[in-house]
């Protein structure tokens, strides 16, 4: 078993004096298809080998106890009060938002430890939600996996209050070893897309998070709604590039153009991936970034700097921001042999420009949520 899982078991035994079951739900890097999920379009993420681990055992005290090792902070509630709790506006909302939807006959102790960098666009939140659901007794073997995805998304939409699409929870549950997963966010079907051999994927954390992000996310959701209404379609999934000329508001047109072209790029990326054309995959990365930068306007100076620098480095196929934007990570596609040089070049340039070292995550496509013991 992974060393992290072992550490989580030991920490649980020390704190709660019982032997737990252990679960794992991964974070993700979205390869392409950004801000398309809530427009019911296509996305193509990988689940990564950074994950949230939960350890869980029933107790006899009639309470739910939850402890986050990352925060060194815990809380407890009587289980008969769980259904009536209101959001506390902190991390426990992710936990309670999930658990209040899962009937709990007995008290339970849960310990949480995540190796997903928090708040960096690699979806520590969905990893926390999915691993919490498993810790609370969700039966991964017998209950429909799509129901788990929807339950976790509901927690984030309705209890935490973030209007996220379905991608993060979906890939945390349906991730595939060695493959990206193309998700149709309307039909909720998916297909595995095997990644070419010799390809390395590195996420670079800008370590900035601009204030704008929450408000701007809501604005984009609303702007896409206006675009769809103007075109008379249910969502931008149904809009064609030609139809966009009917949008007169220049900002709304930009937003819609990003979404429609990004959906097309996902299809092209999947085709390039299947034929092993890493050059085309990289070019689509850069096109996606430019569209997010200029049309959707969710990038920021630091992300643009990281992308502009990365694509000048030998062996780099492409780079783009990943996640909601306004900070967080870029994702970079490169030759496996170029990774060391890539990292030192980016580190030097970023340090010189911003006075901080970015963080690097060499990621592998991994399987989705599972029970470990
Ligand atoms: P991202 O999903 O990109 O990491 P979000 O803002 O969506 O960023 O979610 C981050 C939030 O999730 C944190 O602020 C915290 O409330 C919660 N969270 C994630 N992992 C943990 C953890 N291990 N322990 C406690 N809270 C966590
Ligand atoms: Mg999140």
């Amino acid at each position: 078993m992974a060393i992290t899982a072992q550490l989580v078991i030991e920490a649980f035994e020390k704190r709660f004096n019982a032997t737990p079951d252990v679960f794992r739900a991964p974070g993700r890097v979205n390869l392409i298809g950004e801000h398309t999920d809530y427009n019911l379009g296509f996305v193509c993420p990988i689940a990564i080998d950074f994950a949230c681990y939960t350890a869980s055992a029933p107790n006899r005290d009639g309470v739910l106890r939850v402890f986050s090792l990352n925060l060194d902070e815990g809380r407890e509630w009587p289980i008969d009060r769980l259904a009536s709790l209101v959001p506390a506006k902190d991390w426990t909302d992710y936990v309670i938002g999930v658990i209040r939807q899962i009937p709990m006959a007995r008290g339970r102790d849960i310990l949480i430890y995540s190796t997903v960098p928090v708040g960096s666009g690699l979806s520590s939140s969905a990893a926390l939600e999915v691993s919490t659901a498993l810790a609370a007794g969700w039966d991964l073997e017998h209950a429909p996996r799509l129901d788990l995805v929807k339950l976790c998304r509901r927690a984030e939409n309705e209890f935490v209050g973030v209007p996220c699409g379905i991608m993060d929870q979906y890939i945390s549950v349906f991730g595939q070893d060695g493959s990206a997963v193309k998700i149709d966010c309307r039909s909720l079907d998916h297909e595995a897309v095997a990644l070419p051999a010799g390809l390395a994927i590195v996420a670079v954390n800008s370590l900035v998070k601009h204030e704008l992000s929450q408000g701007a996310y809501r604005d984009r959701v609303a702007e896409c709604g206006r675009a769809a209404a103007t075109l008379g379609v249910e969502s931008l999934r149904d809009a064609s590039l030609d139809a966009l000329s009917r949008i007169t508001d220049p900002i709304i047109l930009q937003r819609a153009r990003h979404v429609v072209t990004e959906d097309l790029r996902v299809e092209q990326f999947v085709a390039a991936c299947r034929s092993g054309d890493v050059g085309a995959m990289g070019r689509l990365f850069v096109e996606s970034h430019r569209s997010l930068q200029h049309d959707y306007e969710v990038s920021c100076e630091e992300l643009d700097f990281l992308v502009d620098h990365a694509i000048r480095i030998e062996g780099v196929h492409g780079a783009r921001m990943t996640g909601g934007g306004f900070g967080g990570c870029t994702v970079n596609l490169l030759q496996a042999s170029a990774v060391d040089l890539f990292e030192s070049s980016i580190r030097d340039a970023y340090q010189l420009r911003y006075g901080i070292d970015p963080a690097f995550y060499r990621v592998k496509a991994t399987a989705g949520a599972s029970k470990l013991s």
Side-chain angles (χ1 to χ4, degrees):
M1 193 191 308
I3 183 112
T4 316
Q6 210 58 56
L7 294 172
V8 168
I9 292 174
E10 282 164 27
F12 186 96
E13 288 173 344
K14 215 163 119 196
R15 177 162 295 273
F16 295 117
N17 218 355
T19 304
D21 288 332
V22 182
F23 307 89
R24 169 193 165 279
R28 59 104 184 95
V29 167
N30 188 21
L31 295 186
I32 198 158
E34 212 67 77
H35 288 277
T36 46
D37 63 348
Y38 55 81
N39 289 299
L40 306 185
F42 300 106
V43 294
C44 191
I46 58 172
I48 56 177
D49 44 346
F50 293 78
C52 189
Y53 296 80
T54 50
S56 160
N59 66 46
R60 297 166 188 279
D61 309 327
V63 296
L64 169 69
R65 290 194 196 90
V66 180
F67 190 86
S68 166
L69 264 188
N70 299 87
L71 299 176
D72 193 30
E73 186 184 304
R75 201 92 41 93
E76 70 173 68
W77 306 262
I79 57 165
D80 53 14
R81 284 201 32 225
L82 291 176
S84 59
L85 290 175
V86 295
K89 298 291 163 210
D90 64 19
W91 66 276
T92 60
D93 290 348
Y94 295 90
V95 174
I96 298 300
V98 166
I99 286 184
R100 65 206 286 276
Q101 301 181 67
I102 300 174
M104 201 179 272
R106 301 175 61 186
R108 190 169 279 277
D109 298 326
I110 298 177
L111 182 127
I112 295 161
Y113 179 67
S114 187
T115 62
V116 185
V118 170
S120 301
L122 302 186
S123 198
S124 70
S125 58
L128 174 58
E129 289 151 12
V130 173
S131 60
T132 296
L134 302 185
W138 180 272
D139 184 352
L140 202 52
E141 292 309 309
H142 299 100
R145 287 189 166 224
L146 196 51
D147 288 351
L148 171 61
V149 171
K150 290 177 181 167
L151 181 152
C152 291
R153 182 192 180 191
R154 241 180 350 254
E156 189 148 345
N157 286 170
E158 293 171 14
F159 203 72
V160 181
V162 175
C164 62
I166 203 159
M167 168 172 65
D168 298 357
Q169 293 81 10
Y170 197 111
I171 188 66
S172 187
V173 170
F174 284 102
Q176 303 240 359
D177 192 19
S179 292
V181 179
K182 180 194 172 202
I183 304 166
D184 180 332
C185 297
R186 180 156 64 192
S187 71
L188 302 183
D189 286 335
H190 68 268
E191 45 187 308
V193 183
L195 292 164
L199 183 71
I201 303 172
V202 180
V204 180
N205 193 342
S206 67
L207 298 173
V208 298
K209 178 144 195 166
H210 294 292
E211 273 309 311
L212 251 67
S213 59
Q214 279 261 323
Y217 191 90
R218 284 169 201 283
D219 290 348
R220 295 299 175 276
V221 174
E223 287 160 354
C224 290
R226 278 180 58 195
T230 304
L231 298 173
V233 290
E234 183 208 2
S235 73
L236 287 176
R237 162 69 175 271
D238 295 315
S240 69
L241 212 45
D242 292 341
L244 297 187
S245 59
R246 289 175 21 222
I247 301 176
T248 49
D249 182 320
I251 296 291
I252 301 297
L253 172 61
Q254 276 176 237
R255 307 303 187 238
R257 187 164 57 209
H258 166 71
V259 173
V260 172
T261 57
E262 186 77 354
D263 272 339
L264 295 170
R265 279 187 290 271
V266 175
E267 307 271 22
Q268 291 164 357
F269 182 84
V270 167
C273 200
R274 291 220 160 103
S275 60
D277 187 349
V278 290
M281 291 166 72
R283 283 192 296 279
L284 289 159
F285 259 42
V286 179
E287 281 175 28
S288 169
H289 184 80
R290 297 303 173 215
S291 179
L292 290 157
Q293 179 181 3
H294 300 301
D295 270 353
Y296 218 61
E297 296 182 289
V298 292
S299 186
C300 63
E301 188 197 309
E302 293 86 351
L303 292 173
D304 295 340
F305 180 85
L306 286 172
V307 167
D308 292 340
H309 190 78
I311 57 179
R312 292 205 302 265
I313 300 171
E314 179 89 36
V316 174
H317 303 304
R320 56 181 290 276
M321 55 157 276
T322 185
F326 302 105
C329 289
T330 62
V331 53
N332 301 265
L333 281 188
L334 56 160
Q335 286 169 16
S337 57
V339 171
D340 288 337
L341 267 176
F342 165 79
E343 290 186 0
S344 62
S345 175
I346 292 275
R347 183 180 294 110
D348 291 350
Y350 202 72
Q351 170 64 238
L352 195 65
R353 180 80 169 74
Y354 295 105
I356 44 171
D357 280 357
F360 297 94
Y361 315 109
R362 301 179 180 192
V363 296
K364 293 221 157 11
T366 64
S370 63
K371 182 172 193 231
L372 297 178
S373 71

